[in-house]
Amino acid sequence: MNVVYRMLLRAALRLYPDRFRSRFGGSMDEALGDRLAAADALPLGRRIRAKGRLLADLAVAGLKERASPAYRPPSRGIRAQRGGGLDRLGQDVRFAVRSLGRNPGFTATALATLSLGIGAAVAVFTVVHGVLLRPLPYPDQDGLTMVWSHAVDDPAARGWMSLPNLEDVRDLDVFESAVGWQETSVTYAGTDRPERVRGARVTGSLLEVLGLTLQAGRDIRPQENVPNPPPVVVVGHDFWQTRLGGRTDAVGSTVELSETGYEVVGVAPPGFDFPNDTELWIPYGHNLDGCGRGCTVYQVVARVAPGRTTDDAAGPLASLAADLQDRFPDTNTDVGFRVETLIDSMVGRVETAMWVLMGAVGMVLLIVCANLAGLLLARAQSRRGEVAVRSALGASRPRLLRQVLTESLVLALAGGVLGVLVGALLVRGLGWIAPTSLPRLDEVAMNGMVLAFALGTTGAVALLFGLSPALHLARSSPAEELTRAGRSGNRREGRARSWLIAAEIALSLSLLVGAGLLIRSLQELYRVDLGIQGNDVLRFGISLPYARYDDLEDFDGFFRELEDRIRALPGVTAVGSSFGSPLGGGSLGGSVLIDGRPPPPPGRQNYARVRSATPGYFEAMGLSLVRGRGIEPSDDVAGEPVVVVNETFAAQNFPNEDVLGARVRVTGSFGYAPTQYWRVVGVVGDVRESLTAAPYPAIYPPHAQFGPGFLKVHVRGATSAAVAALLPRIRDEVRRMDPSLPLADVETVGEAIRSDAAPTRFYLFLVGVFATLAVGVAAVGLYGVVAYMVSRRVREFGVRVALGASQPQIAGLVLRQGLVPTAWGLVAGLVLAAVGVRWLESLLFGIQPRDPLVFSAVILLVLAVSAAAILLPAHRSSRVDPTRALRAE
Amino acid sequence: MNRDADPHLPLTAADFHILLVLGGGPLYGYAILKAVARESGGSVAPEIGSLYRTLGKLVTRGLVEEAAAPTGVDPGPHPGKERRYFQLTELGRSAVKADARRQEAAVELARQRDLLPEPPGP
């Protein structure tokens, strides 16, 4: 992106008069370097605004300087009379409208292309603005930062924090406040059907850190983060309105959450749903006994102290990390901390994608401009006679120029208005197809900024496509035009149009390459073997309230019975449950300890995911058993503690020994089961947690021995439709066992897989649409140029045929004329694409950005489309009848 | 009092702050930009383009001139690119002085009419 930006800066510098530039250019260049370095150090949102301001100011000041009297050329005697400017503008506009109205075919074509191009640009900009550029709804957002912990050799990781580490970070002088949270969900039973509500367990006053005040009551207090915390809750505005009826006495009232009465102590301001569509905030209730410095359970947001910036935090965090490593080597060896501005942490991962889309739509817009310029050139040529006559009758050249430009401007403005309407429709469409994982999607809306962008784009577009007919006019001589009006074409214009076509082909080719690469990525994504057979599996979460289910036997009893009941339903082929699920998140983890081996030194541990499961889980998810046995119903709390591991775990921890029979455990206490070694009884195949993730070492202890009280239940049916149809019966079974339990996150695993590929599909869809549009427009343009050329040279062809040229020879002539811009376009497009794919790289999966298959396919496609666009008119040219052609002139 | 500066008065806020900054000695472009923003409390915060346009005008009017880099200073992070300095001319110095006096008089009047608090005593 920076390369492009620097090019823009250089272009803006060229707007200054030469004299000014030769005097101050070097110094300005140097100051710009300093200014850019300062801007690059800013957090994302401010960085983009600062650079935008810098560029706009540079361009505007350059134009003003150029317009200043000091650089105006000396007057050449008679000057166009001053005054009456508005009058003349009105005249020009009226003239333009009339002249466009006389040619409805041309006008409709131009408006359609323009409104599509501007509409697409406006729609994409609306999304980019809402996601990237718009400030967060928190005061002084630059002071807000996420604090992550990371392994020293993985400095970009976004690791969570433990409470003691969080408290040490918070106590640093550079921070004013910090708070940790963990997302959760609770059952709200206040309405007729129990429902799951998204909540967050916080370590303190989240709203205060973010700089917001509650609309009623108070925030959660840090001193409430203790074991067995007071049952208090801050509710969101929407929750207050819909569930509590917006009662003014809501604060102080009691709501029942997961069968515990909570006192409502505060109501958050409207629109506040941090961190993630959250509606309730409750104290975490941290118990340091079970979860100390090594127990990383929080994401942390902090506010830097007044007068400090997020950059100032790096030093103190580094010394804190070093200090903690000395004092707590077991937990803090090679652990670093880093900050990332809140906005970056929210949208940083989609930034490239957004700019890629913006670039793609910009290319479409350029193609549209090139095409319109071509159309206008052709039109200008056919109006040469008219212009010559008006010129002969005394219209001055500036006046004629202004008229031509006014016409372009009128066209562009109409296109811009239509474009905004098209854009509004497209934004709505984008809202439907955008992946839900796109951050800040709810903040995407058209607003003043978007309209300003639309206006700016329209102006730029008018300038770009209006320039070519204006230049054409500036170069022509009326006398010459009058003598040859209506006769054969002008070589220079033919060349200009050929160049425009070449540019269009080049741009479409690069867009096609982008679309092709995304198609291949999607193919590769769909080809990924997740290690499960999930298409016909329905899953949902069940969370048992601790108030009534409080030990392993309760948990086990409930899920065993539920699975038996579901298994008895017709059409169900397998049922099994697990703690968390692939593509569904949720799992615990820790570092691996092996019985009989010394604990690995700090920094050398292997980690493993812990996913407790019921006996039917492997069958329900289609995991293959590689060796040994799976989990049996007899593996209960009275039996020997056992565990099934995956292949990656076995390979990583037992490269040269037999894993079966070994005794393993992971560090950390999870609160449900005693800390103990488990005997490995089986090995299952690897499972990927997402389409792009590598398999991770995992162990599966029996749920009956490990817990917890919240599981994902997986139900396999004969087909996905059959299993989805079972849902009401499943709900009935759950209700029969416990009427207060809601089903959370109901989906088929197939849906989850599809939504994991949704971002790639979304980008592909947009780039694909742009590419198709681009190729279509370019093909029509190429056809137009060749057809026009043929029509202008009918007479010449007639003469040639009369002198004995064969029809293939004539067709060859035409072909050559069309092939030259195509060839240039191909070459330029290939270079452009080869350079441009660099920006696309992070959106690709499983292929090289310079994938030869994509490049060759695109070249063939462009050649085929061009050949079709050339051959049609070429074919016509070969049927010229010499006698008729000569008579026509 | 030097009356040569009169045709240049009153100065615009941007001109005044740039001259005021240069009153402290020669400075290069980006340093002027930062100092102007800081000393004006952000109320005058030109970007590079506007700054150089103003500097260009001040040079044309003879209030500012280009200067050699002071000896012994850091040549800047962009080797090979000139770091050009600007300094006040005598005329520029009288203009900024005269304008400061004009503003001082205005401040005094504002105090007398209770539009501004009295400055804290010595």
Side-chain angles (χ1 to χ4, degrees), chain A residues 148 188 231 255 545 553 818 835 876:
Chain A
W148 304 109
Y188 176 66
V255 292
E553 270 156 22
V835 175
R876 241 179 39 203

Side-chain angles (χ1 to χ4, degrees), chain A residues 326-358:
Chain A
D326 289 345
R327 284 160 55 205
F328 309 101
D330 285 351
T331 55
N332 282 59
T333 297
D334 292 340
V335 170
F337 304 117
R338 72 181 180 101
V339 290
E340 179 181 33
T341 57
L342 185 58
I343 177 99
D344 272 346
S345 81
M346 288 171 79
V347 303
R349 73 200 151 83
V350 297
E351 193 187 347
T352 316
M354 292 288 114
W355 291 125
V356 164
L357 289 184
M358 208 61 213

Side-chain angles (χ1 to χ4, degrees), chain B:
Chain B
M1 189 176 160
N2 188 344
R3 315 288 306 180
D4 293 349
D6 284 3
H8 299 287
L9 297 177
L11 296 167
T12 65
D15 291 353
F16 177 74
H17 276 286
I18 290 174
L19 295 180
L20 190 62
V21 162
L22 292 179
L27 274 182
Y28 58 94
Y30 184 62
I32 302 177
L33 181 109
K34 280 195 300 184
V36 164
R38 190 178 59 239
E39 292 186 0
S40 69
S43 67
V44 178
E47 269 299 348
I48 304 278
S50 311
L51 175 77
Y52 270 88
R53 210 177 150 237
T54 314
L55 279 174
K57 278 196 265 177
L58 292 174
V59 170
T60 312
R61 285 157 66 189
L63 301 176
V64 167
E65 62 192 0
E66 287 168 71
T71 46
V73 298
D74 170 20
H78 313 289
K81 283 192 189 166
E82 45 185 339
R83 173 163 271 181
R84 303 262 288 268
Y85 279 72
F86 294 89
Q87 68 185 14
L88 284 187
T89 59
E90 270 318 304
L91 182 64
R93 191 170 294 280
S94 359
V96 69
K97 265 192 204 164
D99 205 63
R101 253 183 242 120
R102 181 184 66 79
Q103 296 188 43
E104 187 185 26
V107 167
E108 187 48 42
L109 276 175
R111 289 229 168 83
Q112 285 169 19
R113 290 168 197 169
D114 285 338
L115 299 170
L116 269 181
E118 287 295 324

Side-chain angles (χ1 to χ4, degrees), chain A residues 122-123 126 419-425 427 443-451:
Chain A
V122 164
T126 308
V420 170
L421 296 178
V422 171
L425 285 178
V427 166
E443 292 175 52
V444 168
M446 287 190 119
N447 51 28
M449 191 68 184
V450 171
L451 291 181

Side-chain angles (χ1 to χ4, degrees), chain A residues 232-279:
Chain A
V232 292
V233 61
V234 169
V235 299
H237 177 80
D238 287 349
F239 188 93
W240 174 54
Q241 285 292 326
T242 56
R243 270 64 162 245
L244 306 181
R247 295 198 319 262
T248 48
D249 61 348
V251 172
S253 67
T254 302
V255 292
E256 193 166 298
L257 302 173
S258 299
E259 307 197 0
T260 307
Y262 277 78
E263 185 196 343
V264 177
V265 295
V267 180
F272 181 74
D273 63 356
F274 191 89
N276 188 8
D277 295 334
T278 307
E279 296 192 81

